[in-house]
Amino acid sequence: MTAGAAGGAPEPPNAVFDAVVLAGGAARRLGGADKPGLRVGGRALVDRVLDACAGARTTVVVGEARATVRPVLVTRESPSGSGPLAALAAGLHALPRPAADHVVVLSADLPFLGRDTVRRLLRALGDGAEAAVLTDPGGRDQPLVAAYRAAPLRAALAGIARAHDGTCANLPLRLLTERLVLDRIRDPAAASASFDCDTWEDLAAARARIREHGHVLDEWITAVKAELGIDLDVDTALLLDLARDAAHGVARPAAPLTTFLVGYAAGLSRDAGPEAIAEATRKAVALAARWAEEAAEPAGPTTPAQDAPGDGPDARPDAR
């Protein structure tokens, strides 16, 4: 089913939600490799997905227990390897009660999924839909890149199980989407969000993409923040301008050292957030400007000196 006209107020972007991340599967096209643990941009695929749904109140990962960048609950479908529909049912069952009214459901192999896409999926639930599903560039629904209203989702899974001898094992995901009112999200800007790594070729393409000129800086900054456990917005342009000014006006090694000191100073402030970084950066930028101006100024006065009495051009050294 497809949602009709809007039937309610849009959900706020900070709506409370839980998340279920499906990290199982045999990965046959990858030769049985641990797909969620494969790295793109230095980070495991599952960690990249967990970052995208970092706003979740509770996150359940359905698959093997593993170290992750965020605390999660772990469960398995029964029987193991019985498909994504059974895994989704197991993930919902593992959520603590009372559960949130909204559930984001994601596969663990989406290297380019971002928080903006997750927020858009959640907002789409405010238009009377029971599920907001991303569609890929080919127009195919992606029920594992989606947000669901929890009550209709649970009811649909229960109905499927009743119709199939009490189980959701080894059943196709289309049985779920056929039972729900969908809002299909077709967003060219978020097309890469549905890109998944099913083959070694997919993995190679993902690794190449993040190193392209238009992506590498953002990807690197995101990876560093994740590695250091920093969750704040950084004005990259401002810091790059500071690094440039320090390098040109002082010396090339001044660029990394200055940006380090700015971060250190911001960390020591009472409010160690984006505002503190911005304020420390502004101070360092002003200092770099003064430093450069000083280097360009002549050392002496900028106006001609007045002749002292007796020092004029007509004064004779031997005058008595």
Side-chain angles (χ1 to χ4, degrees), residues 114-261:
R115 298 184 188 185
D116 286 345
T117 299
V118 170
R119 284 192 287 264
R120 178 166 184 188
L121 290 168
L122 287 166
R123 281 195 296 267
L125 292 178
D127 294 335
E130 296 173 329
V133 178
L134 194 70
T135 60
D136 67 17
R140 294 177 292 270
D141 291 342
Q142 299 296 313
L144 300 185
V145 192
Y148 296 85
R149 292 192 179 275
L153 176 59
R154 292 179 188 276
L157 289 170
I160 293 169
R162 283 195 301 270
H164 293 83
D165 300 322
T167 181
C168 291
N170 302 309
L171 296 175
L173 278 167
R174 62 176 173 77
L175 295 179
L176 175 63
T177 53
E178 288 171 355
R179 289 174 174 259
L180 297 171
V181 178
L182 302 182
D183 189 350
R184 292 180 168 89
I185 306 301
R186 298 179 177 91
D187 184 1
S192 61
S194 62
F195 181 92
D196 56 6
C197 292
D198 284 334
T199 67
W200 293 115
E201 290 77 14
D202 294 337
L203 187 70
R207 288 173 170 173
R209 181 183 183 276
I210 67 166
R211 287 167 172 79
E212 293 173 356
H213 176 70
H215 303 285
V216 65
L217 186 59
D218 287 342
E219 287 285 349
W220 171 249
I221 295 300
T222 299
V224 171
K225 290 194 296 184
E227 191 72 15
L228 299 179
I230 300 171
D231 188 14
L232 54 79
D233 293 327
V234 176
D235 190 335
T236 304
L238 190 63
L239 288 175
L240 289 177
D241 286 345
L242 168 61
R244 180 202 62 207
D245 293 344
H248 292 173
V250 183
R252 185 175 297 273
L257 292 172
T258 303
T259 52
F260 163 77
L261 291 171

Side-chain angles (χ1 to χ4, degrees), residues 67-135:
T68 55
V69 293
R70 287 179 46 222
V72 298
L73 302 177
V74 179
T75 191
R76 288 304 307 261
E77 71 277 16
S78 181
S80 178
S82 53
L85 200 63
L88 173 52
L92 282 179
H93 183 73
L95 287 171
R97 300 299 184 95
D101 292 336
H102 306 88
V103 182
V104 170
V105 177
L106 306 167
S107 60
D109 60 350
L110 304 167
F112 305 124
L113 180 69
R115 298 184 188 185
D116 286 345
T117 299
V118 170
R119 284 192 287 264
R120 178 166 184 188
L121 290 168
L122 287 166
R123 281 195 296 267
L125 292 178
D127 294 335
E130 296 173 329
V133 178
L134 194 70
T135 60

